[in-house]
Amino acid sequence: MQTMAIPVMLLLLFGSIHCSPSIQELYSSSNVTYDWSGCPDGTMESYLADGRYIPDNNIITGVKWFAGELYVSVPRWKPGVPSTLNRVRNTAQGPVLVPYPSWELQRPGDARALQNIQSMEIDPLGRMWILDVGRRNIIEADPVNGPAKLVVFNIEKNKTMATYVFSNAVAPYNSSWLNDIAVDWRSDIGYISDTNLAGHGAVVVVRPFWAWARRFEDRTLDADMSAPTTIDGVNYDSIITQPVDGIALTPGRDRVFYCAVRGLHLYSLSAKWVSDTMSSDDDIQKSIVDHGVKVSFTDGMAFDSNGVLYYGAEGLDAVYSWNVASGNLTDRNQKLVASNTVWVDTFGFSEPGYVIFTANHLQLFFAGTMDFQAPGNIRVLQVFINASSYMAL
């Protein structure tokens, strides 16, 4: 190893409560609520009564913006999540989630439906790359195992363009946790982090229109159990044990960056080698670069169009940035972007010039100590950066 324009009305609807002047709030809620008006098989009351909706088991992780709409995922880590992929809609009572693409595609146990959406990406062609973990209730004692899949869905046409079901060898049916995705839309390649619960992280590469995928494992993708896990003075060593999670593709599409949740080092590998159907694991391993130590441990991250990486600094309740052109990570070239953002999960971009991200107090959710009556538990925030997505045309 080598050493989119934000409509003024939307901002008025969602407000900017509890934010510094440089941060705008697109969504804020103490808990996750849904729009039940189109539900074909029950009401909120019936879902509550039979356990299909357990409010305290719902948390927003993934976020993306496209054509004036905000999309979010609610992973089925626990039972009682009625809809795992959603569009945000404002009401007089506050923001609610509308199941996307439909209620019918949210049914647990239906292989044709979406089972557990951790993250998604939307490319400039308006195709949503939907990452379905496949496995449900994965942080419970008795998870429901099954195959992961990637669905490429055309938003404008309301049509599925491709569905790729991963093999057990690429995404093990009893331990995989396909977590985040970066997309090379010009070559139709997805780069995915597997936060595998067996402890061995991986980069999974998929070409859904070729029906091809591969898995790459390396020690740099595993958790570093010596790394700190303190947030707001509380030690989370027993909870934060995950391997690779954050994954990001450079705007030049040549390097895939990644890091473990439990760890401080930032690494990258060659996109060319890992996506080559003929390359070996040894070829990929030789391309790995250690870029140094981040200011804190990280969940999600993403590059902008200028080659600047944005990432959560969970131990500091902050978002930081680093320009890849500035050399290896140092204290001087890691820049504070936003503060008072507790557990930054996933990044996206809105136009023109904004980075958006979820801040969801995830450490409290995992520890079982979240107060679901507290305001601002789950937020989607945006900061002006004068740049676009790494996928920009």
Side-chain angles (χ1 to χ4, degrees), residues 219-258:
R219 65 174 182 81
T220 59
L221 292 152
D222 292 340
D224 175 3
M225 299 307 289
S226 68
T229 62
T230 299
I231 302 174
D232 297 334
V234 179
N235 182 285
Y236 291 96
D237 277 356
S238 63
I239 294 172
I240 301 174
T241 60
Q242 295 84 3
V244 65
D245 182 332
I247 193 164
L249 181 65
T250 55
R253 303 180 293 146
D254 57 335
R255 303 292 297 180
V256 178
F257 281 68
Y258 60 90

Side-chain angles (χ1 to χ4, degrees), residues 1-3 201-203 216-222 254-259 265-271 273-274 280-292 328:
M1 187 201 324
Q2 305 169 51
T3 359
V203 170
F216 172 71
E217 295 184 3
D218 184 78
R219 65 174 182 81
T220 59
L221 292 152
D222 292 340
D254 57 335
R255 303 292 297 180
V256 178
F257 281 68
Y258 60 90
C259 64
H265 281 259
L266 178 68
Y267 300 97
S268 74
L269 53 76
S270 166
W273 285 116
V274 77
S280 67
D281 282 1
D282 188 55
D283 292 329
I284 302 166
Q285 198 280 330
K286 289 177 180 177
S287 77
I288 294 175
V289 174
D290 184 345
H291 297 274
N328 282 351

Side-chain angles (χ1 to χ4, degrees), residues 23 31 37 51 100 123 130 140 147 156 208 231 247 251 270 273 288 290 293 301 306-307 322-323 373-374 383:
I23 305 176
N31 53 39
S37 59
Y100 185 82
D123 68 27
I130 306 169
E140 299 284 274
E156 182 179 353
I231 302 174
I247 193 164
S270 166
W273 285 116
I288 294 175
D290 184 345
V293 175
M301 60 186 186
N306 294 327
W322 166 71
N323 191 323
Q373 303 305 311
V383 178

Side-chain angles (χ1 to χ4, degrees), residues 28-309:
S28 180
S29 182
S30 59
N31 53 39
V32 177
T33 56
Y34 297 88
D35 178 356
W36 299 91
S37 59
C39 184
D41 57 356
T43 63
M44 182 181 72
E45 290 74 19
S46 66
Y47 268 64
L48 286 167
D50 62 21
R52 286 179 293 170
Y53 177 36
I54 304 173
D56 289 5
N57 287 357
N58 290 247
I59 192 87
I60 288 173
T61 57
V63 63
K64 291 296 180 287
W65 173 275
F66 184 76
E69 299 282 3
L70 190 65
Y71 298 89
V72 296
S73 63
V74 183
R76 286 187 169 125
W77 291 333
K78 298 182 179 184
V81 176
S83 177
T84 188
L85 181 62
N86 307 272
R87 178 174 54 84
V88 175
R89 185 171 75 84
N90 193 64
T91 72
Q93 292 73 39
V96 296
L97 304 190
V98 180
Y100 185 82
S102 66
W103 274 103
E104 288 75 14
L105 287 175
Q106 308 295 331
R107 292 171 176 159
D110 183 345
R112 298 166 298 179
L114 304 175
Q115 296 305 297
N116 179 6
I117 307 307
Q118 178 83 25
S119 297
M120 62 285 189
E121 182 62 281
I122 304 175
D123 68 27
L125 301 179
R127 300 178 302 178
M128 183 182 290
W129 295 57
I130 306 169
L131 188 56
D132 191 341
V133 179
R135 307 174 61 238
R136 307 192 313 276
N137 308 342
I138 61 176
I139 64 172
E140 299 284 274
D142 189 21
V144 179
N145 292 324
K149 65 178 179 284
L150 178 74
V151 179
V152 182
F153 187 84
N154 187 297
I155 295 173
E156 182 179 353
K157 295 179 179 179
N158 196 37
K159 179 182 178 181
T160 297
M161 309 303 292
T163 299
Y164 182 81
V165 179
F166 293 94
S167 69
N168 183 63
V170 172
Y173 296 169
N174 64 352
S175 63
S176 65
W177 183 350
L178 300 190
N179 198 311
D180 207 350
I181 180 169
V183 170
D184 177 352
W185 63 275
R186 292 176 175 87
S187 300
D188 287 331
I189 303 171
Y191 300 95
I192 299 165
S193 57
D194 183 2
T195 313
N196 195 285
L197 291 176
H200 294 292
V203 170
V204 171
V205 184
V206 59
R207 294 176 178 262
F209 297 97
W210 290 16
W212 176 88
R214 79 178 305 166
R215 179 183 186 86
F216 172 71
E217 295 184 3
D218 184 78
R219 65 174 182 81
T220 59
L221 292 152
D222 292 340
D224 175 3
M225 299 307 289
S226 68
T229 62
T230 299
I231 302 174
D232 297 334
V234 179
N235 182 285
Y236 291 96
D237 277 356
S238 63
I239 294 172
I240 301 174
T241 60
Q242 295 84 3
V244 65
D245 182 332
I247 193 164
L249 181 65
T250 55
R253 303 180 293 146
D254 57 335
R255 303 292 297 180
V256 178
F257 281 68
Y258 60 90
C259 64
V261 179
R262 183 74 178 265
L264 295 176
H265 281 259
L266 178 68
Y267 300 97
S268 74
L269 53 76
S270 166
K272 174 185 175 181
W273 285 116
V274 77
S275 63
D276 189 329
T277 60
M278 301 300 292
S279 66
S280 67
D281 282 1
D282 188 55
D283 292 329
I284 302 166
Q285 198 280 330
K286 289 177 180 177
S287 77
I288 294 175
V289 174
D290 184 345
H291 297 274
V293 175
K294 296 178 280 85
V295 293
S296 186
F297 59 99
T298 295
D299 186 334
M301 60 186 186
F303 273 103
D304 72 11
S305 55
N306 294 327
V308 176
L309 183 70

